[in-house]
Structure formats: C-alpha cells, structure tokens
Amino acid sequence: MAEHVLLKCKELGFGYGGLESSTVFALPFDFELRAGEVVALMGENGCGKSTLLKTLAGRIPALAGAVLLQGGLLKEFSIRDLAKRIALVRMSGIVPDRMTAREFVSLGRSPYAGILDGRSVEDELAVDAALELLELQSFADRTVTSLSDGERSRVYLAEAVAQQVQILLLDEPNAFLDIPRSHRLFKLLKKLAAERNMGIVVSTHSVEYAERYCDRIMVIHGGVVRVESAASARASGLLDWTESEG
C-alpha cells in the first residue's frame, strides 16, 4: 500500500454552528487518509458521520483545527480545484428530470470543462469507462428518475468515478443495494483504491463489509473518534458498541 498522505486532519472538530451556539459531534482528532486505502466510517445514527464527510469534502467548515489536502489547507482551495480532487457521493438528493444516466455521469467531467462546456474525447472516454465499471451500459439512455434506488446509487458513484478524483467520500453507498451488489461495490472500492491510488472513506452500518473489505475502520462513538486497522478493530474493542443492547 502506498504511504502517500492525501488528506490530513489536525485537531479537527466538526459539527454545525458558530462560536456561541454550535453542535460538536466529537473531541478534536487527528487522521491521515493515505493513497491506496479504503477506510470504513462507522457509528450510530446521529453520531455525525455525514457531517464529518461534508467537512472532509469542504462542504462545511471545520469548527476547530484544520483539514489539509495534499499539504495545503482545504479551505483555501477553489470549488473547481476541490472538485478535481475530492468527490462526496450521497445516495439522496434532488433527481434531475429528463436527464439520462449517461448525461448525469457526464456531470463528473464539469470541473474540467472549458468556457463553452464542451466535452473532449478524454471526457467521453472517462464517462464510458465509468459506465462500464458500474455496469450501467444497459440503461445509460434511460432517465435517472426511471431507475430503481439501487440502479440510481450506481449512477451517483459512476459520476464520481468519471470525475477522476483522488479522494472519494461515500455516504452509505450500499443503503439501497442488495447483498450481492453490496459485496461487488466494496470489491470495486478496493480495486479503485489499489489501481488508481485513491483514498476512500465509506460510511456503512455493516461490520462485515468494514472488516472484510476495508483497510482501517474509523468509529465515532461517545463523542470520540477512534481509528484502528480492520484486522485489529474487534480485538481492540473498537467494535464493542455494535454489540451493545442499549
């Protein structure tokens, strides 16, 4: 595994609000996301997983500390430059009317578009590769609104793949997938990390997928963020909260 650090959190505090009235989900923590690895993000509902992902993506500001992207402060990157480096994939949101799956995946090339928003041969090749990787060719010309939740989730991921980012942040990507497709998704994430030298953080409620497919597991629990290797997470007590009855 490559040791190149793509994203670094230094004494990061995340949540919502200002100095006088804010919701802080956890004590400040340090974390490094390395190229070539998949990190599972876990915790109970409402613990702040989605908020942390938004903070790492630069969608909302950190409440304390800093997020560094390839050595520079995340907050100092332009929206366009961030979009070339980080993609946050969520399985909910506004679905565009009359837009086909291929057109939606093509949106991933927007950060690279010129003044006239034209698509180059490279753009089309990137879109084709993303459609093939997520097995979307058979319904590439169907509207996104006509797809099932599972099919739609694959379209959202394909857009991020077409974006050719180095950091992929996924918010419960297998929420609408059946068990076979969930396994295939996590295998795909491992492949993307290894072959494209990407750093991936994926939130999930599945301990099985986290232990089986991820390199490390990050848990938000009791206002504390802890990270362990997936191989030692259970022995270290990191997953004890999943067996609690209340």
Side-chain angles (χ1 to χ4, degrees):
M1 180 189 298
E3 292 297 323
H4 179 58
V5 175
L6 297 175
L7 193 72
K8 185 173 185 178
C9 302
K10 297 180 65 176
E11 288 294 304
L12 180 66
F14 63 98
Y16 287 99
L19 294 175
E20 296 182 1
S21 176
S22 62
T23 299
V24 182
F25 286 103
L27 295 172
F29 71 100
D30 295 333
F31 170 69
E32 292 183 349
L33 177 64
R34 308 179 193 110
E37 73 169 343
V38 181
V39 178
L41 175 59
M42 305 191 72
E44 297 172 324
N45 288 336
C47 72
K49 296 188 297 296
S50 295
T51 302
L52 175 55
L53 291 176
K54 290 177 186 176
T55 305
L56 297 181
R59 301 285 182 88
I60 58 176
L63 294 184
V67 179
L68 302 176
L69 174 61
Q70 298 170 332
L73 287 173
L74 183 75
K75 64 183 181 181
E76 294 181 354
F77 282 77
S78 69
I79 294 175
R80 186 184 181 95
D81 284 339
L82 276 181
K84 292 179 180 179
R85 293 168 172 82
I86 301 177
L88 172 61
V89 181
R90 305 182 68 196
M91 298 304 131
S92 60
I94 298 174
V95 179
D97 290 330
R98 295 183 297 279
M99 180 175 281
T100 67
R102 182 182 180 84
E103 289 170 340
F104 188 87
V105 173
S106 296
L107 294 177
R109 302 304 298 168
S110 297
Y112 306 93
I115 248 177
L116 300 178
D117 195 30
R119 292 286 185 265
S120 66
V121 172
E122 181 183 356
D123 292 329
E124 297 300 333
L125 289 175
V127 171
D128 288 340
L131 290 170
E132 182 178 356
L133 195 62
L134 274 297
E135 301 177 357
L136 302 176
Q137 306 100 311
S138 63
F139 51 83
D141 294 325
R142 285 176 53 191
T143 61
V144 178
T145 51
S146 71
L147 303 178
S148 69
D149 287 337
E151 291 168 338
R152 198 176 298 166
S153 67
R154 287 155 57 200
V155 170
Y156 291 154
L157 182 54
E159 182 200 5
V161 170
Q163 204 167 322
Q164 295 182 322
V165 294
Q166 292 179 292
I167 298 167
L168 190 55
L169 309 173
L170 300 111
D171 198 351
E172 297 187 32
N174 63 317
F176 302 112
L177 298 181
D178 56 28
I179 292 175
R181 287 203 181 275
S182 291
H183 281 289
R184 288 162 72 178
L185 169 67
F186 275 82
K187 288 178 182 177
L188 172 62
L189 296 182
K190 283 185 68 71
K191 180 179 179 180
L192 285 173
E195 295 184 358
R196 302 193 181 191
N197 223 22
M198 296 170 66
I200 298 175
V201 180
V202 51
S203 72
T204 179
H205 286 292
S206 173
V207 175
E208 177 189 359
Y209 298 148
E211 290 186 296
R212 183 171 177 179
Y213 297 110
C214 299
D215 300 289
R216 290 190 291 160
I217 299 176
M218 173 188 289
V219 170
I220 307 171
H221 183 65
V224 176
V225 178
R226 291 177 58 197
V227 186
E228 300 280 355
S229 72
S232 62
R234 190 173 294 277
S236 70
L238 186 68
L239 301 176
D240 287 354
W241 62 276
T242 64
E243 300 174 1
S244 172
E245 296 180 357

